[in-house]
């Protein structure tokens, strides 16, 4: 008998390995300081680990409810109420997910029919576009303003058509670190008011906003909250990105459709970690103190970069710092962002991410992104290398 593997027509012929995987692998191969992929290299609170161990030893190791364990949904509801002034019913309006990436894919699969248009604002996180395409949707790319990465509302309004099903926004913004202002959110609310367009609001960096700025959640605004799926992430907030646990808050009618897909996607999420997170959230101090924690790291990193010829872009939120490479005294700056980042990793010993990777057309602005969610000694080691440029 001749074994034969059937030919497969790819559903994603243009999708390759993510830039984050590529750059992290190169950093490991070259022994470079990895400021590319967005994960901390420091531990989480040992008390949180103790709570996980306690939950496991208490026997909380079987399937939880599909929607998430009740204490965690209740804690999330209370946090949103306290911070953003809106009540979400923990029974019918909050769902625990296997991270924010799964949450966004599930939202899109639940709401996007073949041929529906979904607006994304570029540069954008690299899962958005493949998610829309896998759902049979049509991606409508609207650029954020180059240099400032502010939303261009005239272009957003012009992109809305009778086929528009949703718009996906991200604030604080990955990769730029820009945050949407209250005026921005109000303008979006006005634009969407006469439409049936849904809003997907990716707010995974909600607790990383630096003074004097403020995070304006879609939950703050009646007209946005009524049409919004709001996505957040415990991994980002509590330094446990590998746990892959997030949440979606949405009106009950939207949540009902979301859960239809969620139950046949992952169905449930890690049980003991959910119970641990619920208990940990009884103290709001860890997430309330997070802006100051990361602002200190941001300032340390920015002060070091100020001694180089990198041009610093504003860092209003997230744990990313973008820099313009155009003034560097090295010819490699003209290779293009992607090739420059390969060279920087291989020859200088610091990994970064090209912003062009966040655009469908690989738009090149000579801007790259560093992650400063690292130990101080890691940042100092990277700065020592970067000061050679």
């Amino acid at each position: 008998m001749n074994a034969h593997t059937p030919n497969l027509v790819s559903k994603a012929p243009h999708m390759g390995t993510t830039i984050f995987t590529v750059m992290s692998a190169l950093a490991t191969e070259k022994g470079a300081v990895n400021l590319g992929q967005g994960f901390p290299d420091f531990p989480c609170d040992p008390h949180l680990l103790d709570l996980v161990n306690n939950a496991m030893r208490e026997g909380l190791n079987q399937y939880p409810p599909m929607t998430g364990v009740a204490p965690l949904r209740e804690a999330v509801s209370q946090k949103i109420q306290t911070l953003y002034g809106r009540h979400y019913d923990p029974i019918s309006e909050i769902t625990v997910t296997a991270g924010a990436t799964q949450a966004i894919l599930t939202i899109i699969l639940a709401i996007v029919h073949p041929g529906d248009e979904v607006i994304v604002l570029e540069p954008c996180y690299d899962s958005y576009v493949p998610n829309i395409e896998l759902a049979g949707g049509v991606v409508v790319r609207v650029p954020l303003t180059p240099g400032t990465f502010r939303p261009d509302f005239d272009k957003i309004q012009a992109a809305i058509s009778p086929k528009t099903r949703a718009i996906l926004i991200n604030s604080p913004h990955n990769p730029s670190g820009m945050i949407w202002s209250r005026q921005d959110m109000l303008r979006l609310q006005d634009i969407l008011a006469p439409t049936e367009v849904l809003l997907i609001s990716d707010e995974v960096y909600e607790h990383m906003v630096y003074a004097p700025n403020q995070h304006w959640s879609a939950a703050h605004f009646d007209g946005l909250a009524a049409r919004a799926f709001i996505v957040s992430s415990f991994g980002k907030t509590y330094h446990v990105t590998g746990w892959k646990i997030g949440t979606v808050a949405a009106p009950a009618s939207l949540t009902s459709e979301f859960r239809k897909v969620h139950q046949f996607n992952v169905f449930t999420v890690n049980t003991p970690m959910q119970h641990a997170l619920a208990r940990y959230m009884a103290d709001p101090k860890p997430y309330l103190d997070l802006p100051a924690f990361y602002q200190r790291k941001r300032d340390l990193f920015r002060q070091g970069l100020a001694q180089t010829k990198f041009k610093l872009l504003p860092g209003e939120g997230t744990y990313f710092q973008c820099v313009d490479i155009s003034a560097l005294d090295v010819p490699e700056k003209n290779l293009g962002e992607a090739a420059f980042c390969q060279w920087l990793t291989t020859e200088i010993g610091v990994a970064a991410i090209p912003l062009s990777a966040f655009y469908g057309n690989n738009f090149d602005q000579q801007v790259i992104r560093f992650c400063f969610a690292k130990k101080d000694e890691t940042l100092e080691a990277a700065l020592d290398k970067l000061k050679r440029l």
Side-chain angles (χ1 to χ4, degrees):
M1 176 189 238
N2 291 325
H4 170 67
T5 301
N7 291 325
L8 178 65
V9 178
S10 176
K11 291 186 68 176
H14 305 299
M15 296 180 202
T17 305
T18 72
I19 188 67
F20 310 108
T21 300
V22 169
M23 295 309 300
S24 287
L26 184 63
T28 299
E29 176 190 341
K30 301 299 181 181
V33 181
N34 189 357
L35 302 189
Q37 194 168 0
F39 61 85
D41 69 346
F42 48 82
C44 67
D45 184 348
H47 177 52
L48 180 54
L49 300 182
D50 291 340
L51 291 173
V52 174
N53 289 330
N54 293 343
M56 289 190 289
R57 294 185 183 282
E58 289 168 22
L60 299 170
N61 299 302
Q62 307 309 322
Y63 290 130
M66 176 268 288
T67 57
V69 301
L72 184 55
R73 286 182 282 119
E74 290 162 3
V76 171
S77 175
Q78 183 58 55
K79 188 192 83 166
I80 296 173
Q81 174 81 52
T82 301
L83 295 181
Y84 309 134
R86 184 167 305 280
H87 175 70
Y88 285 88
D89 183 347
I91 296 174
S92 62
E93 296 184 319
I94 291 174
T95 309
V96 180
T97 64
T101 301
Q102 180 257 318
I104 293 168
L105 173 61
T106 302
I107 293 166
I108 290 169
L109 290 174
I111 67 174
V112 175
H113 297 258
D116 284 350
E117 295 178 352
V118 181
I119 296 170
V120 299
L121 308 180
E122 289 190 317
C124 65
Y125 184 62
D126 67 348
S127 80
Y128 296 172
V129 168
N131 289 178
I132 296 162
E133 292 175 344
L134 287 170
V138 177
V139 179
V140 177
R141 304 171 190 269
V142 175
L144 295 168
T145 305
T148 66
F149 303 99
R150 308 299 317 169
D152 185 326
F153 289 105
D154 289 339
K155 290 182 178 177
I156 290 172
Q157 188 153 27
I160 295 175
S161 79
K163 294 183 178 181
T164 305
R165 173 75 304 192
I167 179 171
L168 211 167
I169 68 170
N170 173 210
S171 179
H173 181 246
N174 177 16
S176 74
M178 178 273 296
I179 65 167
W180 284 45
S181 67
R182 182 174 183 272
Q183 291 70 29
D184 291 334
M185 299 297 280
L186 288 171
R187 180 73 187 278
L188 181 66
Q189 180 173 252
D190 289 343
I191 289 172
L192 298 183
T195 76
E196 293 296 307
V197 175
L198 295 166
L199 172 64
I200 306 168
S201 187
D202 179 352
E203 303 183 17
V204 299
Y205 298 101
E206 61 180 313
H207 299 300
M208 300 171 207
V209 174
Y210 309 124
N213 301 294
Q214 177 179 345
H215 174 58
W216 291 97
S217 171
H220 276 117
F221 306 92
D222 291 347
L224 295 179
R227 67 179 70 232
F229 295 89
I230 300 174
V231 180
S232 191
S233 165
F234 294 109
K236 298 292 192 297
T237 302
Y238 293 134
H239 318 310
V240 287
T241 59
W243 288 14
K244 297 298 291 179
I245 303 179
T247 57
V248 173
S253 61
L254 302 184
T255 295
S256 176
E257 292 302 310
F258 171 83
R259 288 175 176 176
K260 289 178 183 179
V261 177
H262 175 76
Q263 69 180 335
F264 295 116
N265 185 339
V266 295
F267 182 57
T268 59
V269 177
N270 188 297
T271 303
M273 288 177 177
Q274 287 193 62
H275 285 282
L277 287 165
R279 296 168 184 178
Y280 194 66
M281 287 183 72
D283 179 7
K285 193 171 186 294
Y287 60 77
L288 293 179
D289 288 350
L290 199 63
F293 172 82
Y294 272 125
Q295 185 163 346
R296 188 193 66 78
K297 288 188 177 292
R298 181 202 66 170
D299 292 347
L300 170 69
F301 191 52
R302 285 176 64 89
Q303 287 164 11
L305 288 173
Q307 300 174 42
T308 73
K309 293 191 176 181
F310 288 109
K311 295 179 182 177
L312 292 168
L313 276 65
E316 298 173 336
T318 76
Y319 48 46
F320 301 117
Q321 176 64 53
C322 287
V323 296
D324 184 320
I325 64 174
S326 61
L328 296 179
D329 290 330
V330 293
E332 289 80 8
K333 70 181 183 182
N334 298 314
L335 294 174
E337 294 169 4
F340 176 84
C341 285
Q342 296 270 346
W343 173 82
L344 188 70
T345 305
T346 301
E347 300 300 330
I348 304 301
V350 180
I353 300 292
L355 248 66
S356 56
F358 297 85
Y359 289 89
N361 63 357
N362 295 313
F363 175 53
D364 197 303
Q365 306 166 79
Q366 289 193 297
V367 175
I368 64 174
R369 188 200 80 177
F370 293 114
C371 173
F372 57 80
K374 307 296 177 183
K375 299 173 186 174
D376 288 1
E377 52 264 39
T378 303
L379 296 175
E380 295 286 5
L383 288 167
D384 285 344
K385 294 175 181 293
L386 294 172
K387 286 171 185 175
R388 293 157 45 192
L389 296 174

